[in-house]
Amino acid sequence: MISVKNISYTYMTGTPFEKTALKNISFDVAEGEVLAVAGHTGSGKSTLIQIVAGLIDLQIGAVEIDNLPVADKKIRRLVGIVFQYPEHQLFEETVERDIAFGPKNFGLDDAEISARVEEAMRQVGLPAELKNVSPFELSGGQRRRVAIAGILALKPKYLILDEPTAGLDPLAKENLLKEIFGVIKKSGVTIILVSHNMEDIARFANRVVVLAQGKILFVGTPRELFAQEEILSRAGLEPPPITQLLRKLNIDENILSLDEAEKFILKNWRKV
Ligand SMILES: Nc1ncnc2c1ncn2[C@@H]1O[C@H](COP(=O)(O)OP(=O)(O)OP(=O)(O)O)[C@@H](O)[C@H]1O
Ligand SMILES: [Mg+2]
C-alpha cells in the first residue's frame, strides 16, 4: 500500500518565485488498484507523483510505501515511474539495450535481463524483431512503448504513469492504453495514472484524486466524480464527451462510456 499523509510542497521557498504546489495532501493507494490523478494544468499532479516516487524530497508530511518511508533506498525497486514524453530519455543504440538499461543497473544476470526485455516488449506490443533496431528509427508511438517497456522490465510493484498517451495520435493512444491496462493489469501491478482525459479515467480507474491549486478537491470513484458538476467545474474538468452528449439530451443516467451508452440506447430505443 502507498500511504500519503499530509504532504505540502513549496518550490523556491524564500525567493520572489516561491510557489506552493501542494497543500496538505492525504490519500492511500491500495494494492492492485488503478488510481487516477486529475486536475487542471499546474494543479500539482507531477509534483505529487515525483514525491511519491521519491524523486523530490519531502518537505512536510510523510509518504510510506509498504510501510517503508519513501526516503528508504529499498523503495527504488518497488516503484517505477514513466514521465511525460519518456521517449525523450531514450539514448541507447538499440531497443534491446535501452529496455535492458534499468535491469542491468539492478545487477541482474544476462539470462534474466533478456527474459525481462522479451516480456516487456510483449507487454507493450512491440514485435520482437525490433530488438536490434535503433529507437531513433521508430515511430513516436513505438518509441513511447520502448520507454514504457524499460520501466516494466524493472517489474515494479507500483507503476506511476504521467500522461502516458500525451501527444500520440488517436489510434496509437487507444492501442497503447489497451495494452497497458489489459496486459499489465493482469499482472497485478498497482497503477497511479496522471491523466487529463476523463474518458480514460472513466474506463480504467477504480478511483480518482482530483487536485485544484495544490489541494485535494475530491477522492472517489469516477462515477461519483462525474455526478458532481460543481466539483468538476471548480477543478476545470468536464465529464467524458458521451456523458455530456446524453445529458444534453436530458438522459440523466450517469453513463460514462460508449459501451454503457450502447446498452442504454438498445434497451430504451423506443423512448429515445
Ligand atoms: N521546478 C519548479 N520550480 C518552480 N515551480 C515549479 C516547478 N515545477 C512546478 N512548479 C510549479 O508548481 C505548480 C504545480 O506544477 P506541476 O508540474 O506539479 O503541475 P501539473 O498538475 O503536473 O501540471 P501539468 O498538467 O501542466 O503537467 C505549478 O504552478 C508550477 O508552475
Ligand atoms: Mg505535469
Side-chain angles (χ1 to χ4, degrees), residues 11-12 19 21 39-48 84 162 196:
Y11 286 106
M12 304 202 272
K19 170 84 204 173
H40 210 258
T41 179
S43 57
K45 305 180 297 295
S46 295
T47 306
L48 175 62
Q84 230 171 317
D162 196 348
H196 278 107

Side-chain angles (χ1 to χ4, degrees), residues 145-156:
R145 284 160 204 263
V146 173
I148 295 174
I151 302 298
L152 293 179
L154 301 171
K155 293 195 185 282

Side-chain angles (χ1 to χ4, degrees), residues 14-235:
T15 75
F17 306 105
E18 183 169 308
K19 170 84 204 173
T20 297
L22 296 173
K23 291 174 205 156
N24 206 23
I25 303 288
S26 301
F27 61 92
D28 288 340
V29 191
E31 267 167 48
E33 84 170 324
V34 177
L35 179 86
V37 179
H40 210 258
T41 179
S43 57
K45 305 180 297 295
S46 295
T47 306
L48 175 62
I49 58 164
Q50 288 179 77
I51 292 175
V52 170
L55 300 173
I56 299 182
D57 289 341
L58 280 166
Q59 292 173 342
I60 298 174
V63 175
E64 281 182 2
I65 298 174
D66 291 356
N67 297 316
L68 295 171
V70 69
D72 192 312
K73 284 208 173 71
K74 287 191 210 105
I75 75 117
R76 302 269 152 84
R77 298 229 171 182
L78 293 176
V79 182
I81 182 165
V82 177
F83 293 104
Q84 230 171 317
Y85 300 102
E87 60 277 18
H88 294 166
Q89 285 160 33
L90 298 176
F91 65 96
E92 290 279 2
E93 278 163 33
T94 66
V95 166
E96 181 176 26
R97 282 203 210 169
D98 234 307
I99 300 172
F101 181 79
K104 253 188 199 148
N105 274 350
F106 274 6
L108 301 173
D109 65 55
D110 288 351
E112 173 70 17
I113 292 172
S114 62
R116 285 192 181 201
V117 170
E118 272 177 31
E119 187 186 353
M121 288 182 75
R122 246 196 330 270
Q123 284 180 316
V124 298
L126 280 173
E129 309 85 83
L130 292 180
K131 238 165 58 172
N132 299 316
V133 171
S134 159
F136 302 98
E137 287 168 33
L138 302 178
S139 71
Q142 285 173 322
R143 283 207 296 274
R144 178 80 48 96
R145 284 160 204 263
V146 173
I148 295 174
I151 302 298
L152 293 179
L154 301 171
K155 293 195 185 282
K157 181 171 171 191
Y158 300 99
L159 177 63
I160 302 177
L161 301 157
D162 196 348
E163 294 274 357
T165 60
L168 298 182
D169 68 59
L171 187 64
K173 179 175 137 44
E174 179 62 20
N175 289 338
L176 183 60
L177 280 176
K178 272 201 205 128
E179 265 133 22
I180 293 178
F181 289 100
V183 186
I184 301 169
K185 246 183 107 175
K186 262 186 230 152
S187 70
V189 62
T190 301
I191 296 177
I192 299 181
L193 170 72
V194 173
S195 178
H196 278 107
N197 188 313
M198 297 303 122
E199 228 176 331
D200 294 344
I201 289 178
R203 282 166 70 197
F204 298 113
N206 308 103
R207 285 195 307 143
V208 50
V209 170
V210 177
L211 295 180
Q213 295 171 344
K215 290 189 193 148
I216 290 195
L217 211 53
F218 174 89
V219 184
T221 65
R223 200 168 292 285
E224 287 160 357
L225 172 64
F226 296 126
Q228 303 210 31
E229 307 222 350
E230 198 219 319
I231 288 183
L232 290 169
S233 82
R234 272 167 62 199

